[in-house]
Amino acid sequence: MPLPKYPILFYKPSTSLTGPFDPIPIPTPAQIDGLDYECELVAIIGKECKDLDESRALDYVLGYAVGNDISHREWQLKRGGGQWGLGKGFDGWAPFGPGIVTRELIPDPQNLEISTRVNGEVVQE
């Protein structure tokens, strides 16, 4: 996929949130080829903000967690009508945790290393 000219934004509804060790349900419409996962750094916003300068953005971060961005590429890129949320927002498809680390303990989140393991094997880093 080419690098987009503008950021692609998508939502994860609150029903997609789940714990780090919970089973990930695969609903009937998603039981076709295309299921995928990505490890992600989750930034937890701690207070309301809008129209602020980029230099102040991290002042609004409560902390960070590790998350798994479960996606269905068929629904995200082909069947979703260009709306990525349809391929990423199924119930239980946003496990994160098990904890939140405060931003004071992570001065530069760009320097963190995260990875995904499946059955003990590193599949993404």
Side-chain angles (χ1 to χ4, degrees):
M1 176 184 310
L3 191 62
K5 183 176 179 179
Y6 300 103
I8 296 171
L9 303 176
F10 61 88
Y11 68 94
K12 287 269 192 176
S14 61
T15 56
S16 67
L17 294 174
T18 189
F21 307 110
D22 293 342
I24 298 169
I26 310 300
T28 302
Q31 292 181 7
I32 56 174
D33 286 342
L35 195 60
D36 202 1
Y37 50 83
E38 298 176 85
C39 57
E40 300 286 356
L41 178 64
V42 177
I44 293 103
I45 307 303
K47 55 187 174 181
E48 186 176 331
C49 63
K50 72 178 194 178
D51 300 326
L52 65 120
D53 188 79
E54 181 180 343
S55 65
R56 295 187 52 223
L58 293 181
D59 295 342
Y60 291 80
V61 173
L62 172 74
Y64 302 96
V66 176
N68 191 346
D69 178 19
I70 308 297
S71 303
H72 197 288
R73 301 300 182 205
E74 180 75 17
W75 278 100
Q76 175 187 344
L77 302 173
K78 296 179 183 172
R79 297 181 183 208
Q83 300 187 43
W84 282 27
L86 294 175
K88 293 178 166 284
F90 288 106
D91 290 354
W93 279 27
F96 79 100
I100 298 171
V101 179
T102 63
R103 67 182 164 92
E104 291 81 11
L105 295 175
I106 302 176
D108 185 359
Q110 300 297 324
N111 278 334
L112 295 174
E113 294 182 21
I114 58 175
S115 62
T116 300
R117 291 190 170 127
V118 175
N119 298 325
E121 179 183 341
V122 175
V123 295
Q124 181 189 17
E125 51 184 349

